[in-house]
Amino acid sequence: MVQHSDQPTFSVLIIDDDVEVNRSLELVLQTLGYNTATALTGDDGLGLIEKNSYDLVLCDLRLPGRSGLEVLKGAALKLPIILMTAFSNQEIASQAAACGAFDYLRKPIFPDDLMFTLRKFEEHERLKRENKALKAAIAERYSFNNIIAKSDAFRSVFDVIRRLTPFNTTVLITGESGTGKELMARAIHESSPRRGKPFIAINCGAIPETLIESELFGHKKGAFTDASRDKKGLFEEASGGTLFLDEIGELPLHLQVKLLRSLQEQTIRRVGDEHDIPIDVRVISATLRNLEEEVRNGKFREDLFYRLNVVSIHLPPLRERTEDIPILVEHFAKKHAKRLGIAEKRVPPDVLKALLNYSWRGNARELENCLERALVLSQGDDFELEALPDYVQKGTPLTTAATIVNDDSNLSIKQKTAALEIDLITRALEKTGGNRTHAAKILEISHRTLLYKLKEYNLGGDSE
């Protein structure tokens, strides 16, 4: 078995207290095309492993000081190890496997046995490389700047973004809460020549009407009571980059006029100032409301709508693209396992079935929150069905108030109140076409309270 020139050259560390064994193994391995290094003790071997890069370790089981099993325990997570022993029995094999050994060889080691084991190692490494390449290809095919999807609907969105790359065209992103509108805006920014410049997001529905003009355009000292100094607005802060206007449908009509003028003339004027300031900003906006209907009802300026809607991207809800759920589950599970510093967990069929059957009213954001909860609560190597919220296990959306309120087996005031609040908020938003100000009036609560509850129930309380 001589390695061909197109195969990788592997580096092997041999750890044995017998100098002659080291030499004979080195000779065979070098003849086969391997690079080699040797150590006489377990401590020396681990020291070399810390300082250098090896693909494989051949380690004697019995060593002075630190044993082969102790070397295995100390280095098995970093690279494959083949134990060598003169004592071949089932107990040793079991110990080696339990500690993570790739294989073991019985002494005296004959060249044919060594070559056979090395073939297994090479095949194992080949499969690892192919698996890594396959995962990379899948990631490239099904992701775009941290957006994960395989559905035709989302992949067509990726195609639109790629065509937008060289241009500074304004973009309007539409979709329900939790579909990833801000994530999409960031992807557009990062794929454009403006990447590396600021990306600044503002939720137009989360800032009081009296403050939003100053937030966007800035103000001069003395422009109003609390204006104790000059302040740059977000348009200036985003200079050279992208300004993301989330929930653009919530912008008051008088500010719509000022925004239109800024977009057309590429200048802004601070509150209380008499001079225009040139800007170089790309604007991406988003809304969950039907702006065309808002235009017909006189609640949104038609000229601004056309100025913002040069390119329109609609993000479909998760319930309409269930084929994306498995890869989103894998992505979120890995993401939060890494963030929390815990081992990744497998997703068994019963858990995946429950996730596929649920309607995900809060879309990808709700799914991500659910996966993080299940990751923390599951105790074994797998996600546990019991770690999912009851309504996900049963496939019943939390927002179905009647199901929860009429369930005599559950007398929790907290859960029933939450279900009623979600149901009423959802109806109010549907009735007002997503207008949160009007919805708050119908619900007879303050606008601030509505925003708090939207965030609490994952119904769109923070920017996307």
Side-chain angles (χ1 to χ4, degrees):
M1 179 191 70
V2 177
Q3 293 185 339
H4 302 291
S5 58
D6 60 340
Q7 289 181 318
T9 300
F10 294 109
S11 179
V12 181
L13 173 64
I14 306 164
I15 307 175
D16 198 297
D17 59 339
D18 189 323
V19 175
E20 291 302 320
V21 170
N22 282 346
R23 285 177 181 171
S24 62
L25 288 174
E26 267 198 304
L27 180 62
V28 175
L29 288 168
Q30 289 173 0
T31 302
L32 296 173
Y34 289 87
N35 293 326
T36 61
T38 62
L40 294 173
T41 68
D43 289 324
D44 290 344
L46 284 173
L48 288 173
I49 291 170
E50 289 295 326
K51 295 177 182 177
N52 304 292
S53 176
Y54 301 103
D55 300 298
L56 177 67
V57 175
L58 290 175
C59 184
D60 191 20
L61 179 63
R62 293 193 174 182
L63 292 167
R66 199 183 299 260
S67 71
L69 285 177
E70 289 175 311
V71 173
L72 177 59
K73 291 175 183 177
L77 294 177
K78 299 177 183 178
L79 70 168
I81 295 179
I82 297 173
L83 283 179
M84 302 179 292
T85 176
F87 306 93
S88 177
N89 58 46
Q90 190 59 43
E91 183 179 352
I92 293 174
S94 299
Q95 280 185 297
C99 293
F102 175 78
D103 205 341
Y104 78 96
L105 288 167
R106 184 176 181 180
K107 287 184 172 182
I109 297 171
F110 298 100
D112 285 348
D113 293 335
L114 177 60
M115 289 168 62
F116 177 75
T117 303
L118 291 174
R119 284 196 190 100
K120 287 197 297 182
F121 163 71
E122 289 180 3
E123 178 66 11
H124 174 75
E125 291 300 301
R126 182 186 67 79
L127 291 174
K128 276 176 58 177
R129 290 193 304 272
E130 289 181 357
N131 187 44
K132 185 177 180 180
L134 179 60
K135 286 186 174 181
I138 290 172
E140 182 177 355
R141 183 179 180 187
Y142 295 145
S143 67
F144 189 96
N145 280 301
N146 294 320
I147 302 174
I148 309 296
K150 65 181 289 188
S151 60
D152 291 340
F154 245 85
R155 288 170 65 188
S156 66
V157 169
F158 295 163
D159 290 339
V160 171
I161 296 176
R162 290 186 180 98
R163 290 198 291 271
L164 283 174
T165 297
F167 308 106
N168 286 323
T169 309
T170 54
V171 179
L172 177 64
I173 305 172
T174 60
E176 295 178 3
S177 176
T179 49
K181 296 191 284 294
E182 182 174 335
L183 195 62
M184 183 61 68
R186 287 184 182 274
I188 295 171
H189 171 75
E190 291 298 330
S191 65
S192 77
R194 293 177 178 267
R195 61 184 173 274
K197 297 293 185 178
F199 175 90
I200 295 180
I202 179 174
N203 188 325
C204 299
I207 299 175
E209 189 173 322
T210 54
L211 297 178
I212 191 167
E213 182 176 8
S214 174
E215 284 293 314
L216 286 173
F217 303 105
H219 63 250
K220 293 292 289 182
K221 180 180 179 181
F224 47 86
T225 304
D226 296 327
S228 58
R229 58 182 177 82
D230 289 355
K231 179 195 173 193
K232 286 184 177 182
L234 296 182
F235 268 99
E236 291 179 79
E237 296 287 350
S239 180
T242 301
L243 179 62
F244 175 56
L245 303 176
D246 198 7
E247 301 304 343
I248 189 67
E250 302 286 344
L251 197 66
L253 279 168
H254 74 280
L255 288 183
Q256 292 179 26
V257 176
K258 190 166 184 177
L259 174 60
L260 177 63
R261 178 178 176 274
S262 296
L263 293 175
Q264 290 176 333
E265 301 181 12
Q266 286 293 289
T267 62
I268 58 103
R269 182 175 294 184
R270 292 179 180 177
V271 178
D273 199 356
E274 297 178 355
H275 304 287
D276 291 339
I277 300 172
I279 56 170
D280 174 23
V281 176
R282 181 188 197 172
V283 171
I284 300 175
S285 52
T287 181
L288 53 75
R289 292 163 63 178
N290 186 333
L291 288 189
E292 293 185 43
E293 185 175 327
E294 295 291 293
V295 169
R296 287 193 294 270
N297 294 333
K299 298 176 182 178
F300 200 85
R301 290 186 62 93
E302 184 176 21
D303 45 7
L304 178 59
F305 171 69
Y306 290 126
R307 186 67 184 81
L308 295 172
N309 194 36
V310 175
V311 174
S312 178
I313 294 176
H314 178 69
L315 304 184
L318 191 55
R319 62 183 174 275
E320 294 179 6
R321 51 185 184 95
T322 54
E323 63 267 45
D324 286 337
I325 290 177
I327 60 171
L328 282 172
V329 167
E330 181 181 4
H331 170 71
F332 291 144
K334 288 183 177 179
K335 170 185 172 181
H336 289 292
K338 182 178 180 180
R339 182 179 66 82
L340 296 169
I342 59 179
E344 293 180 15
K345 296 183 185 294
R346 296 183 295 265
V347 183
D350 60 336
V351 171
L352 183 58
K353 181 179 179 181
L355 297 173
L356 287 168
N357 287 340
Y358 182 61
S359 64
W360 301 112
R361 190 68 175 264
N363 292 294
R365 183 190 294 130
E366 185 185 5
L367 174 62
E368 181 172 7
N369 292 342
C370 178
L371 261 293
E372 182 179 358
R373 165 201 162 108
L375 185 67
V376 172
L377 296 181
S378 298
Q379 297 182 347
D381 295 331
D382 294 347
F383 279 96
E384 298 170 356
L385 186 62
E386 296 74 18
L388 300 177
D390 289 341
Y391 53 89
V392 175
Q393 294 181 44
K394 298 172 183 176
T396 305
L398 183 61
T399 50
T400 304
T403 304
I404 298 176
V405 172
N406 295 325
D407 181 6
D408 291 335
S409 64
N410 179 5
L411 298 179
S412 167
I413 292 177
K414 184 177 180 180
Q415 290 185 27
K416 292 179 184 291
T417 301
L420 282 171
E421 287 188 345
I422 291 170
D423 187 56
L424 291 171
I425 290 170
T426 303
R427 290 189 201 178
L429 289 171
E430 289 174 353
K431 187 174 182 178
T432 61
N435 189 312
R436 295 174 180 177
T437 303
H438 295 165
K441 291 179 181 177
I442 293 173
L443 293 164
E444 297 184 353
I445 59 176
S446 69
H447 186 255
R448 182 181 295 274
T449 299
L450 176 59
L451 292 178
Y452 172 79
K453 290 187 177 297
L454 288 171
K455 185 173 184 179
E456 180 183 8
Y457 297 131
N458 287 317
L459 295 175
D462 50 357
S463 62
E464 300 172 10

